[in-house]
Amino acid sequence: MSKFKIAAFVSAICLMGVVFYSSVVSSQTPQPTVRLSTEPPLSEILPFEAEATVPSSPVRLTLQAVDAAGKPLENARIRLQILTPPHNPWFPTDFPIVEGTELLDIEGVAVKGEFEIQQMLPIRGNYQLLVSVNPITANAFAPIQQTLTLAVPENWVKYRNFGILAVILLAVGLGGGLVLGGKQDIQPGEIAPERVRLLLSGAIVVAIASLLIINITAERADSHTQGHSSQKLEPSVVQSQAVKAQIIGDVSATVGQPAKLAVQVTDPTTGQPATDVLLKIKTTPAEDEWVAFAYEGVPDAKGQLTWDQQFFDGAPHKVEVEILPQPQARQQFSPLRIAQNIDVEGVAPPLHSRLIVLAYFTSLIVLGLVIGLRLRNRLVW
């Protein structure tokens, strides 16, 4: 009986060894994967800068689905979801509402296993790219689900500007401490010492000047927006003898929430979907010239190309689509262009984010004030 127990024990040990060896071998065996390349390189990618003298450029993201041997997976359907970096309450970005939201969701056909888009990245941090690859022909290859990370550092200009502002706030606090420090005598008929009254008068003048600058800037921005609203655009529906194309979906959006958009292409004669065309999509703000999103692809079997896109800067946008025939298309036609205006509703930063920033700036002034008071008291002593 003991011999049978020993044999069973040895068999179990051998089976465990085989299972462990198989798992190790399978983990070391190359698996189908998705490769990511960017232009510019990862080390040169910077977030969107609204006040840059040169318009910011979108990042070109190229996804390539390959099998275990490194060969491209042809005739694949690739879906890409871009999630923005998570919310950080203590160090908010330029667009706090955008933090922790979905920036883009698009699915397209990759004939050669390659999927390429251009996307403006609004804030710093680690973006998550959720990629799913499925075969157009059933069972052509095993589906792929993969999560990629794209790290975007902060623009060094922001650190420089913050350093300059910090020095100014410290200097203001230091000057106030030097004025208020030391022994101060109140003359008969005065409610405060002369130095205190001068300091308060200077603060009032600075506050009035700041309000005037803010109001003038807002008035110019409002008139600038109204001037662009009357621009003439291409129609959102266009038809020729070969194809009929139209932009469908949301005509308004809110910052922090993706808008649903689509392009529908059909044969005007039969009403059937047109799939032998090429679609070039570009989204730009109505006020500026930089590109928020761009993609070039083909419609699906229903003649549609759909995507969800977030407009992060709160300005009106314009979606432009150019329709061209594919080289092997049965009917050749001249390129057609359609466009759609998207009204975007801006959202003010959360109150707690503004209070945190205000606390940081106030702390710098208080620190300078304390230093100034101590220096003044030492000089008087």
Side-chain angles (χ1 to χ4, degrees):
M1 192 68 178
S2 59
K3 292 182 179 180
F4 289 107
K5 291 183 179 181
I6 293 174
F9 179 75
V10 172
S11 300
I13 294 296
C14 293
L15 181 60
M16 292 175 61
V18 171
V19 172
F20 176 76
Y21 177 77
S22 300
S23 63
V24 171
V25 171
S26 61
S27 63
Q28 295 178 351
T29 303
Q31 300 292 328
T33 185
V34 178
R35 298 173 180 173
L36 171 65
S37 60
T38 64
E39 183 183 344
L42 288 174
S43 59
E44 300 179 7
I45 295 178
L46 294 176
F48 172 72
E49 180 61 44
E51 300 179 356
T53 55
V54 179
S56 301
S57 300
V59 179
R60 187 182 299 272
L61 303 174
T62 303
L63 302 173
Q64 187 177 33
V66 297
D67 59 12
K71 296 181 180 180
L73 295 173
E74 298 182 351
N75 297 324
R77 184 177 297 278
I78 299 180
R79 180 184 180 186
L80 171 63
Q81 295 174 272
I82 302 180
L83 306 182
T84 59
H87 177 64
N88 188 341
W90 300 109
F91 299 99
T93 61
D94 291 347
F95 303 97
I97 299 297
V98 179
E99 298 172 5
T101 60
E102 184 181 73
L103 186 62
L104 180 70
D105 185 356
I106 186 171
E107 185 177 39
V109 176
V111 179
K112 300 296 182 182
E114 190 171 276
F115 186 82
E116 181 179 288
I117 67 165
Q118 296 183 54
Q119 175 65 51
M120 186 70 74
L121 303 177
I123 58 177
R124 67 175 185 270
N126 295 325
Y127 290 80
Q128 282 192 337
L129 278 62
L130 309 182
V131 186
S132 61
V133 184
N134 294 281
I136 297 179
T137 305
N139 302 323
F141 57 85
I144 302 174
Q145 303 287 335
Q146 191 169 341
T147 301
L148 305 173
T149 302
L150 184 63
V152 177
E154 185 59 279
N155 194 332
W156 68 272
V157 175
K158 299 293 181 63
Y159 296 113
R160 183 199 64 184
N161 295 340
F162 177 77
I164 295 174
L165 180 59
V167 171
I168 293 175
L169 294 177
L170 285 173
V172 170
L174 181 64
L178 292 175
V179 171
L180 298 176
K183 184 180 179 181
Q184 302 183 28
D185 298 327
I186 301 179
Q187 302 298 328
E190 295 179 344
I191 60 175
E194 182 181 1
R195 286 178 290 179
V196 175
R197 287 186 283 112
L198 290 175
L199 181 63
L200 293 177
S201 300
I204 292 174
V205 171
V206 172
I208 294 175
S210 301
L211 290 175
L212 287 175
I213 293 174
I214 292 174
N215 289 332
I216 293 173
T217 304
E219 187 68 23
R220 288 182 177 179
D222 184 59
S223 62
H224 187 61
T225 303
Q226 292 178 359
H228 278 279
S229 61
S230 61
Q231 287 184 350
K232 183 179 180 180
L233 294 176
E234 294 85 353
S236 59
V237 180
V238 69
Q239 180 176 340
S240 67
Q241 294 182 352
V243 295
K244 176 184 178 182
Q246 61 179 336
I247 298 177
I248 56 178
D250 297 336
V251 296
S252 61
T254 303
V255 175
Q257 302 176 7
K260 296 183 179 298
L261 298 167
V263 180
Q264 177 71 61
V265 186
T266 57
D267 187 327
T269 304
T270 62
Q272 297 298 317
T275 58
D276 55 353
V277 297
L278 182 64
L279 303 177
K280 294 183 178 180
I281 302 172
K282 182 174 68 173
T283 301
T284 58
E287 303 177 5
D288 301 299
E289 297 180 355
W290 53 271
V291 177
F293 166 73
Y295 172 69
E296 181 177 329
V298 298
D300 57 15
K302 299 180 181 179
Q304 288 188 355
L305 197 158
T306 62
W307 73 99
D308 295 350
Q309 178 185 356
Q310 181 182 166
F311 304 94
F312 58 84
D313 64 338
H317 280 65
K318 178 175 63 175
V319 178
E320 299 175 280
V321 181
E322 183 178 6
I323 304 97
L324 304 92
Q326 295 187 20
Q328 70 278 10
R330 181 175 55 85
Q331 290 187 354
Q332 297 294 319
F333 56 89
S334 300
L336 303 176
R337 289 180 175 84
I338 53 176
Q340 176 68 58
N341 270 339
I342 305 294
D343 293 328
V344 182
E345 179 182 357
V347 180
L351 179 60
H352 65 270
S353 298
R354 289 178 284 174
L355 292 177
I356 289 174
V357 174
L358 179 62
Y360 290 156
F361 292 159
T362 305
S363 301
L364 292 173
I365 297 178
V366 172
L367 178 60
L369 183 64
V370 172
I371 296 175
L373 288 173
R374 289 190 176 184
L375 289 177
R376 182 69 179 180
N377 292 333
R378 286 186 179 183
L379 292 175
V380 173
W381 183 79

